[in-house]
Amino acid sequence: MGTGVGMLLENRNAVVYGGGGIVGSAIARAFAREGARVFLAGRTLTTLDAVADEITGGGGRAETAVVDTHDEESVDRHADAVAAEAGRIDVMFNAIGHGDVHGPTLMEMPYDDFARPIDSALRSLFLTTRAAARHMIPKGSGVVLTITATTARASLPQIGGTGVRFDAMESLCRQWARELGPHGVRVNWLQTTGLPEAITFPGPFPDYGTGAAMDRDQLIAWNQAQTMLDRLTTLEEVGNLAAFLASDLASAFTAAGANITCGLVPTR
């Protein structure tokens, strides 16, 4: 953890939904390293506690709670409890996964498989943003963040509702930013490549229009070949940029995505 000198988020309170997951835990560690008191929320207490133990073991501050981000009462109750205990909510990051189905074409896919991740993402992001914003508005400041990917702008086959959900999440963030901006609350998202450290399944993966199914290494190589830097984004880079965007150094940045795709050029 940091020394307390020059930390970006010193004396800030940050809520991370999905804090026990691969991406959410990276965000939480970065926030804690930069001095924030981190409130980890999600469905599985054991994974949340493991991340919290790592953070506190390194000198940071972290607390956990079981929250269903699709349940309005659960989300509101948790935000109210954090604000009551900590005095304020300064940062909220939604890193919840949404069970996307890849493989079938749209012609082959049941509508529910297509729509489920879209509905899940929008409901979760809407509820968590609203709950946090209710406590940010009276203070006149706050930062809301989430994560999307290049599939929000790409035209790829066999990705089901993934591209639509990321596109919809970005649109929702822009609307939230417009409505919350006059109250001093910023809303942004991080747009990434595929994150190799988050790909734990060995495959096979769909061909995504390449003509041949891919294993994990082939999928990573295929994504990497489309970038200008000939590499993919790391979890550390995601956490570092999230901490920056949550800080006062990014105070003029809102209603926008931070492109950390290593220069990936989407297939259109």
Side-chain angles (χ1 to χ4, degrees), residues 77-212:
R77 184 171 58 246
H78 174 256
D80 290 348
V82 170
E85 178 181 346
R88 58 190 295 154
I89 297 175
D90 299 295
V91 182
M92 188 281 283
F93 197 107
N94 186 311
I96 297 292
H98 299 286
D100 300 66
V101 176
H102 287 194
T105 65
L106 294 180
M107 290 293 293
E108 301 165 327
M109 179 171 285
Y111 177 77
D112 286 348
D113 285 352
F114 169 79
R116 188 180 304 110
I118 303 168
D119 179 69
S120 173
L122 293 182
R123 183 175 181 85
S124 173
L125 184 57
F126 179 90
L127 292 178
T128 55
T129 301
R130 189 182 64 181
R134 284 172 172 165
H135 295 283
M136 294 174 175
I137 288 172
K139 303 293 184 181
S141 66
V143 182
V144 171
L145 296 166
T146 192
I147 187 166
T148 69
T150 52
T151 39
R153 295 291 179 268
S155 297
L156 287 173
Q158 301 170 304
I159 62 171
T162 298
V164 176
R165 84 158 167 102
F166 282 143
D167 207 355
M169 288 170 68
E170 293 179 5
S171 181
L172 178 58
C173 283
R174 284 190 292 269
Q175 184 171 345
W176 271 120
R178 182 64 183 88
E179 295 187 7
L180 297 178
H183 302 284
V185 179
R186 298 188 289 111
V187 184
N188 297 299
W189 62 94
L190 285 71
Q191 188 181 85
T192 73
T193 61
L195 302 169
E197 297 147 292
I199 303 174
T200 57
F201 179 58
F205 294 90
D207 63 61
Y208 297 121
T210 65

Side-chain angles (χ1 to χ4, degrees), residues 20 40 51 56-57 75 103-104 119 137 142 196 199 205 219 226 236 240 244:
L40 304 167
V51 177
T56 56
V75 172
D119 179 69
I137 288 172
I199 303 174
F205 294 90
L219 177 66
Q226 300 176 70
E236 183 179 8
N240 288 343
F244 171 78

Side-chain angles (χ1 to χ4, degrees), residues 202-227:
F205 294 90
D207 63 61
Y208 297 121
T210 65
M214 294 178 277
D215 61 23
R216 179 183 182 276
D217 290 341
Q218 290 169 328
L219 177 66
I220 291 172
W222 174 63
N223 274 290
Q224 181 173 313
Q226 300 176 70
T227 69

Side-chain angles (χ1 to χ4, degrees), residues 5-92:
V5 178
M7 292 190 290
L8 294 176
L9 302 177
E10 190 170 10
N11 299 321
R12 306 291 173 88
N13 300 310
V15 180
V16 181
Y17 293 102
I22 294 174
V23 175
S25 62
I27 300 295
R29 286 191 291 269
F31 284 175
R33 184 191 66 234
E34 293 298 337
R37 180 182 180 184
V38 182
F39 294 83
L40 304 167
R43 290 189 175 187
T44 308
L45 190 59
T46 53
T47 56
L48 293 168
D49 284 344
V51 177
D53 288 345
E54 180 183 349
I55 290 172
T56 56
R61 297 172 295 165
E63 300 172 38
T64 62
V66 174
V67 179
D68 179 358
T69 64
H70 298 109
D71 181 83
E72 185 171 0
E73 183 179 352
S74 178
V75 172
D76 288 345
R77 184 171 58 246
H78 174 256
D80 290 348
V82 170
E85 178 181 346
R88 58 190 295 154
I89 297 175
D90 299 295
V91 182
M92 188 281 283

